[in-house]
């Protein structure tokens, strides 16, 4: 596979341009002048242009009919329909040149959205908050997708130019500076990438390369056909591009269960192989994570280092959903699958990773979901109590803090942040932020109306309940409401929660992480009284033990002798107070 197949390549006296446009009869490069591109038999159009340089802007003209950006554009200063800019990726001087990343078991993730993480909403503004992450105990910053999207604001999952970090947040070297500064502080940086669809505005591939798509549809648009070699190469090279040119430490692949055309050999397999090859060549730790509603255990192996066809971990929605039902009592939609006994479901997630390991899902019409997961390492699961979806797809974008008691949330945090699975927080969760994170975007005309209608159709129950109080995703004020409330961090409640999270992550760093390599699932039990017990065999042979009362009343525990050294929780008696958590290692 030629890694220079997509996007311009700077040469000694100019630049070499390539475009795969099998449906086009003629392609011209529009730079300062217009240059016809040579057509090859395989649908590639090529030209070497003297004088082109970094900073030059260009477009492709297709069949004298339409001007389009480069689908592998490195930067779009004027949004998705503007000219593409040549970027010299070798010009940036990395300060953290010796950075090789961190082992996966050291990961503590904080998911963030660049545009709302700070009032400025830029890469460079994020740098001023990196020391806060380090002091909290976060080891990895995860950015929601950056691929260029139409308009000035978006969650990022509507990207159409996969190689171009969106200009709303700054220039490419601003992103590199953020990553460089993170590495200097010992922080990994992960990126969300979307390979299941292209956004609805600004994608011109269907005009000159219809082979990118099949007749199948995803929930967000036409399905991508990864049986086509050029299409497969486009995605795999994109993954390598972010890992190589921007030195991201890992990628989280969005909703891979919706990739319709995986090919005889899965594109996910080939992508992992390619990333693993890069890791081996560079001596770097590179981590690949999935979001996959199918709970496919066969795709996961946290211990495979470097990646050789599998993925480090999966976001564990089961864990979140069971906790959400227990903490809030909400049972609508997919939460209905966890409504019978959320305590039992939490125990199963503690004992074996997924809750659904082949059982029928009533929410999915009785379809069987998942594969047995207990033989995986606990670190094959990313566990969380909140993320962008679980907050943002609520009617008001309201956080857990607005729907559950403080005691209950803090008990859930004490379990999530010390259990062997990889923990993840959503930005501001570390101090109990109540800033909403509603869905927002910046489309216009018919597309904007279609988004409004689509949200009403998908979340009709919410509109029926809240009416005009549901934020309009197209209104700029909805985006502004999502900007993180850093001032609340310094209020008494924010300071108290932040101190709790820092203490928990300090214990994780000292007591859990050194024992995580080689850890295995053990047992977990949930009593009707609300008492949860669980144990894991750690890599050094020690047993990590949990006892928690996840109810509003005192619970009497069995009087059996308690073993192990306490690492969290006060002295344990026969009467266990409400929402209390006790951890021991022995």
């Amino acid at each position: 596979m030629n890694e220079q197949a997509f996007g311009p390549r700077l040469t000694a006296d100019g630049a070499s341009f390539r475009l795969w446009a099998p449906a086009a009869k003629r392609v011209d490069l529009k730079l300062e002048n217009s240059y016809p591109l040579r057509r090859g038999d395989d649908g590639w159009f090529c030209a070497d242009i003297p004088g082109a340089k970094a900073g030059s802007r260009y477009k492709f003209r297709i069949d004298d009919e339409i001007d389009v950006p480069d689908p592998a554009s490195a930067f779009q200063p004027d949004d998705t329909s503007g000219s593409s800019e040549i970027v010299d990726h070798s010009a940036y001087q990395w300060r953290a040149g010796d950075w090789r990343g961190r082992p996966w078991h050291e990961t503590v993730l904080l998911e963030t959205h660049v545009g709302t993480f700070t009032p400025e909403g830029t890469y460079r503004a994020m740098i001023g908050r990196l020391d806060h992450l380090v002091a909290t105990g976060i080891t990895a910053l995860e950015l929601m997708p950056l691929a260029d999207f139409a308009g000035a604001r978006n969650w990022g999952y509507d990207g159409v130019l996969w190689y171009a970090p969106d200009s709303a947040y700054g220039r490419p070297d601003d992103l590199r500076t953020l990553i460089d500064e993170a590495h200097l502080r010992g922080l990994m940086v992960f990126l969300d990438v979307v390979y299941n669809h292209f956004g609805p505005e600004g994608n011109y591939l269907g005009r000159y390369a219809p082979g990118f798509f099949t007749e199948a549809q995803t929930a967000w648009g036409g399905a991508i056909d990864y049986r086509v070699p050029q299409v497969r190469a486009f995605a795999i090279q994109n993954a390598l591009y972010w890992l190589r040119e921007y030195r991201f430490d890992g990628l989280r692949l969005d909703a891979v269960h919706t990739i319709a055309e995986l090919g005889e050999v899965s594109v996910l397999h080939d992508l992992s192989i390619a990333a693993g090859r890069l890791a081996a060549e560079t001596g770097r730790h590179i981590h690949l994570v999935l979001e996959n509603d199918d709970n496919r255990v066969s795709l996961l192996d946290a211990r495979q280092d470097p990646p050789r066809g599998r993925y480090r971990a999966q976001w564990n929605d089961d864990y979140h959903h069971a906790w959400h039902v227990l903490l809030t009592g909400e049972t609508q939609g997919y939460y209905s699958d966890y409504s019978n006994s959320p305590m039992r479901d939490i125990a199963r997630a503690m004992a074996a990773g997924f809750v659904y390991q082949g059982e029928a899902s009533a929410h999915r019409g009785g379809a069987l979901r998942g594969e047995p997961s207990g033989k995986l390492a606990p670190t094959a699961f990313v566990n969380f109590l909140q993320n962008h979806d679980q907050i943002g797809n609520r009617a008001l974008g309201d956080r857990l803090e607005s729907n559950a008691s403080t005691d209950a949330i803090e008990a859930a945090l004490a379990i999530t942040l010390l259990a062997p699975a990889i923990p993840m927080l959503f930005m501001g969760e570390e101090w109990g932020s109540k800033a909403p994170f509603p869905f927002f975007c910046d489309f216009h005309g018919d597309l904007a109306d279609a988004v409004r209608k689509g949200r009403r159709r998908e979340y009709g129950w919410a509109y029926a309940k809240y009416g005009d109080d549901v934020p309009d995703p197209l209104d700029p004020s909805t985006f502004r409401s999502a900007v993180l409330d850093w001032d609340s961090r310094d209020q008494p409640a924010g300071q108290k929660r932040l101190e709790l999270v820092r203490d928990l992550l300090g214990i994780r760093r000292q007591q859990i992480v050194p024992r995580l390599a080689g850890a295995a699932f053990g047992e977990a039990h949930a009593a009707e009284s609300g008492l949860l017990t669980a144990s894991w065999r750690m890599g050094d042979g020690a047993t990590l033990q949990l006892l928690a009362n996840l109810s509003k009343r005192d619970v009497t525990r069995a009087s059996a002798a308690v073993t192990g050294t306490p690492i969290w929780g006060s002295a344990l008696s026969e009467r266990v107070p409400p929402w209390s958590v006790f951890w021991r290692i022995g």
Side-chain angles (χ1 to χ4, degrees), residues 486-506:
W486 284 92
D487 290 344
S488 69
R489 180 188 59 162
D490 301 321
Q491 299 302 312
Q495 291 178 335
K496 180 176 179 292
R497 177 64 58 78
L498 185 57
E499 182 179 358
L500 170 70
V501 171
R502 285 177 174 175
D503 287 347
L504 287 164
L505 291 179

Side-chain angles (χ1 to χ4, degrees), residues 83-407:
S83 296
S84 303
E85 180 178 317
I86 301 175
V87 172
D88 183 358
H89 294 293
S90 66
Y92 183 83
Q93 298 298 307
W94 293 92
R95 295 172 61 208
D98 294 333
W99 174 260
R100 294 296 179 267
R102 300 178 66 155
W104 174 243
H105 66 270
E106 296 181 1
T107 305
V108 176
L109 288 157
L110 183 77
E111 188 194 15
T112 61
H113 178 269
V114 175
T116 57
F117 188 65
T118 64
E120 300 86 350
T122 64
Y123 302 122
R124 287 192 174 270
M126 294 186 81
I127 295 171
R129 302 298 184 178
L130 295 179
D131 290 338
H132 159 80
L133 271 59
V134 174
T136 301
I138 304 297
T139 65
L141 175 67
E142 180 170 336
L143 308 180
M144 290 171 64
L146 303 178
D148 201 67
F149 50 79
R153 54 193 181 274
N154 197 285
W155 272 16
Y157 299 92
D158 290 322
V160 293
L161 297 172
W162 288 359
Y163 290 71
D166 199 275
S167 61
Y169 308 139
R171 291 189 56 83
D173 277 356
D174 296 330
L175 174 58
R176 288 190 176 90
T177 303
L178 168 63
I179 296 170
D180 208 8
E181 291 291 336
H183 289 167
L184 288 169
R185 291 164 171 80
L187 289 165
M188 296 181 283
V189 188
F190 287 67
L191 177 65
D192 274 20
V193 289
V194 182
Y195 296 137
N196 51 50
H197 78 289
F198 288 86
E201 183 176 330
N203 171 30
Y204 299 94
L205 285 166
R207 167 60 179 82
Y208 57 84
F212 256 86
F213 305 98
T214 74
E215 294 181 356
Q217 292 289 313
T218 72
W220 312 286
I224 299 170
D225 193 346
Y226 286 115
R227 297 168 300 183
V228 178
Q230 293 86 348
V231 177
R232 179 171 294 224
F234 189 80
I236 293 172
Q237 289 178 34
N238 179 253
L240 296 175
Y241 170 84
W242 291 117
L243 295 169
R244 183 179 54 240
E245 305 297 352
Y246 288 90
R247 302 195 182 182
F248 279 100
D249 298 279
L251 304 173
R252 177 264 192 187
L253 278 65
D254 179 69
V256 298
H257 57 279
T258 65
I259 296 177
E261 299 296 345
L262 294 167
E264 184 175 343
V265 176
S266 167
V267 66
L268 297 177
H269 176 273
D270 281 356
L271 191 154
S272 174
I273 292 289
R277 189 178 300 120
L278 176 63
E281 291 170 355
T282 58
R284 293 168 53 192
H285 293 287
I286 289 179
H287 310 301
L288 303 177
V289 180
L290 298 177
E291 180 192 28
N292 186 359
D293 191 62
D294 291 340
N295 285 2
R296 282 184 58 196
V297 169
S298 55
L299 294 175
L300 305 175
D301 187 348
R303 299 187 178 107
Q304 193 176 84
D305 192 14
R308 295 187 301 278
R310 297 194 180 186
Y311 288 72
R312 287 268 190 266
Q314 177 178 316
W315 276 22
N316 193 355
D317 279 344
D318 281 356
Y319 181 87
H320 168 272
H321 296 348
W323 271 107
H324 190 87
V325 172
L326 179 72
L327 296 175
T328 68
E330 295 180 351
T331 58
Q332 73 273 13
Y334 45 69
Y335 292 132
S336 62
D337 273 351
Y338 308 83
S339 61
N340 289 335
S341 180
M343 274 283 296
R344 184 184 62 220
D345 292 339
I346 291 171
R348 190 170 205 211
M350 291 288 179
F354 292 135
V355 175
Y356 279 84
Q357 301 180 34
E359 292 79 15
S361 163
H363 174 68
R364 295 164 181 79
L368 302 183
R369 175 174 176 247
E371 300 169 347
S373 58
K375 292 184 179 180
L376 290 174
T379 51
F381 302 88
V382 175
N383 284 352
F384 48 89
L385 300 172
Q386 302 186 75
N387 66 17
H388 74 276
D389 270 331
Q390 307 308 334
I391 300 170
N393 284 332
R394 296 176 61 79
L396 306 179
D398 48 329
R399 296 181 182 237
L400 195 58
E401 292 292 330
S402 300
N403 300 285
S405 72
T406 297
D407 289 347

